[in-house]
Amino acid sequence: MNSDNRLKLERVFTRRILPSKRSSPQTKKLSILDNSAVYSPKNRAVYAYNAKEDGSSISPDDLARSIGEFLSEQPFWAGQLEPTEFLQDGGHQHRLGCLQITYGKDSDPGVSLSFAKSALKLDDCVPSFNFESEEVFSRSDFPFNEFLSVDPIATDDPKNLVGFPIFSVQLIQFSCGGITIAIIVPHYLGDAPSFTHVIEDIARATRGEQSIPRYFDAATVDSIAGDLNNVDMQRIDLHRRETNDMWASAKDVPEAMLPACIPPPQVAHLAEPFGKAIDWKTCLDFSPVQPSHTFFTPEEVHNMYIDATSNGQKISHLDAFNAHLWLETTAANNVKEGEGISFAFPLDIRRRVNLPESQIGNLNTAKFTDEINPKSSIAEAASIIRKTILTVTKESISDVVLCMAFETTPTRYLPWLPRCPNTTITTSWLSDDIAGTDFGLGKPRYFDTRTSTPIKNFHILTTIPCDDKTKQWYERGVIVTSFFKDLAMENFTKSKTLRKYRKSVN
């Protein structure tokens, strides 16, 4: 791959795609959890495919047709995101900043589809996965952002939503006949499972396969909170005091986030009690990070599990895998003994509260472990992770969502912020074969995913593409897309212990 080449795109068109079958006009409110994530980073993915042996590929018309069929089954994605009416005593769905989607109208913005051409070949700018390699591949030379659509989507400016689509797709055609497909979906409607559902459902339509029913229903999600008419307000006040509060955090805030620290006049009288002031110097760092890919074999994952359970404890393969990443990230950051390091991970709550796996939305809760000693074993790290997971129950989730329903505005409080500057964060996309998504051209030659906001010490876990869908995720092997600052990335990629589980554990 020639890393000096840029894509040199000729942008052919951008058009809005509407459902191939029109639905009747409807309005759907966003859930308590969805509204809380409006400012969260967008999920973004890029796929690269070689042309078929006969030179054929996917045309823009093919992709437009598939998106239209997808939207016929899930028409809310084509709708207009807009604020709900603010009512002082109108309940949680009418708090200032809550949103809804109206669709089935002539004014629907649709989904943005952009088409561009490049005189380059895929080999000039896109690598190929090599799952047999023992190396860690830095991808700082991959021009990820250039593969994405430049057409704005609604959440680019939450104060200016009208006319903008909810998500975007870009198709680029290369001179060799190969293509790339890039998708951007906002987090408030696209946690990891929802994001993978969107991608797979469009790909399914491209392959001519029957759609899978999906559900988008705020009332069902909000019912997690229980009875909102019978609430202990002292519990709500305690939640507010214990949570990171934007309105108490104007000191040293990044300039772009300063407006969010100023209480809007409509609700300024509801500012107290204030929560915890955010220490922006330690919890967030928006400076650039470097990406890399690491491929772990099924044997490596199982060897981690064997080592982590050598003391007889009951944990999962994922606990062991996350523990290994946690320890390696701690080492990469040169964390000294006595310094605090915690592990953070979003947990999908669907199964825990009896929601269907196909429920669309932002359905996760962030958990932070206790801090760990850098010299801890994988068994100790896995034990901490497992104990933290066991604290997440249907009752604890209900309590969190209940408190969120009574927050002054849905984006005032930020419980998900890292506790310390070297917090390790992983997000698991292991439930679906997202890295192997087939848009009718077979498995991709390359797949990359990155959030829209730089996050250091961050890992995205996806399975290695596999034909046997009955295999457990750890039986397929794992792709870890990692993001570090320069020095930490160098330490991570050169670590002598990162791949120590290539060999059997005695």
Side-chain angles (χ1 to χ4, degrees), residues 122-350:
L122 275 180
D123 288 340
D124 295 326
C125 52
V126 177
S128 293
F129 275 148
N130 178 6
F131 299 115
E132 302 303 320
S133 175
E134 297 185 15
E135 301 300 321
V136 181
F137 292 94
S138 173
R139 287 297 175 238
S140 58
D141 60 344
F142 180 62
F144 183 90
N145 289 340
E146 291 192 28
F147 291 91
L148 305 174
S149 171
V150 296
D151 194 31
I153 62 175
T155 50
D156 289 345
D157 181 3
K159 294 183 179 180
N160 185 23
L161 303 171
V162 177
F164 293 101
I166 290 176
F167 77 89
S168 66
V169 181
Q170 176 156 282
L171 172 68
I172 301 177
Q173 188 178 79
F174 291 83
S175 63
C176 58
I179 63 159
T180 58
I181 296 175
I183 300 180
I184 305 175
V185 175
H187 204 292
Y188 65 89
L189 284 181
D191 63 357
S194 299
F195 186 46
T196 58
H197 290 338
V198 169
I199 294 171
E200 177 53 36
D201 289 348
I202 296 174
R204 187 181 296 273
T206 306
R207 301 193 303 267
E209 298 178 9
Q210 188 174 356
S211 62
I212 295 176
R214 307 292 186 192
Y215 305 95
F216 177 61
D217 179 32
T220 300
V221 177
D222 290 349
S223 67
I224 298 169
D227 185 1
L228 297 179
N229 296 314
N230 184 20
V231 178
D232 178 2
M233 291 308 296
Q234 288 184 338
R235 172 70 188 95
I236 303 300
D237 284 350
L238 179 62
H239 163 78
R240 291 174 177 174
R241 295 178 193 277
E242 292 179 340
T243 306
N244 298 316
D245 186 352
M246 290 289 287
W247 293 1
S249 307
K251 182 180 179 181
D252 298 323
V253 67
E255 184 176 354
M257 299 180 71
L258 179 59
C261 296
I262 302 173
Q266 303 96 312
V267 290
H269 63 290
L270 301 174
E272 295 184 359
F274 287 104
K276 293 181 179 179
I278 300 166
D279 184 353
W280 297 107
K281 292 182 178 180
T282 61
C283 70
L284 284 183
D285 184 344
F286 292 108
S287 55
V289 293
Q290 301 298 325
S292 69
H293 292 312
T294 313
F295 311 120
F296 291 93
T297 67
E299 293 75 22
E300 282 180 282
V301 179
H302 190 59
N303 286 337
M304 294 173 198
Y305 173 77
I306 291 174
D307 195 9
T309 56
S310 58
N311 59 1
Q313 66 179 336
K314 292 184 178 180
I315 61 164
S316 69
H317 280 75
L318 185 56
D319 295 338
F321 191 81
N322 279 331
H324 181 61
L325 286 180
W326 186 8
L327 294 171
E328 288 298 316
T329 304
T330 300
N333 282 276
N334 292 320
V335 174
K336 303 297 187 293
E337 192 168 357
E339 294 180 359
I341 288 294
S342 65
F343 179 80
F345 50 97
L347 280 176
D348 185 348
I349 67 171
R350 290 169 176 81

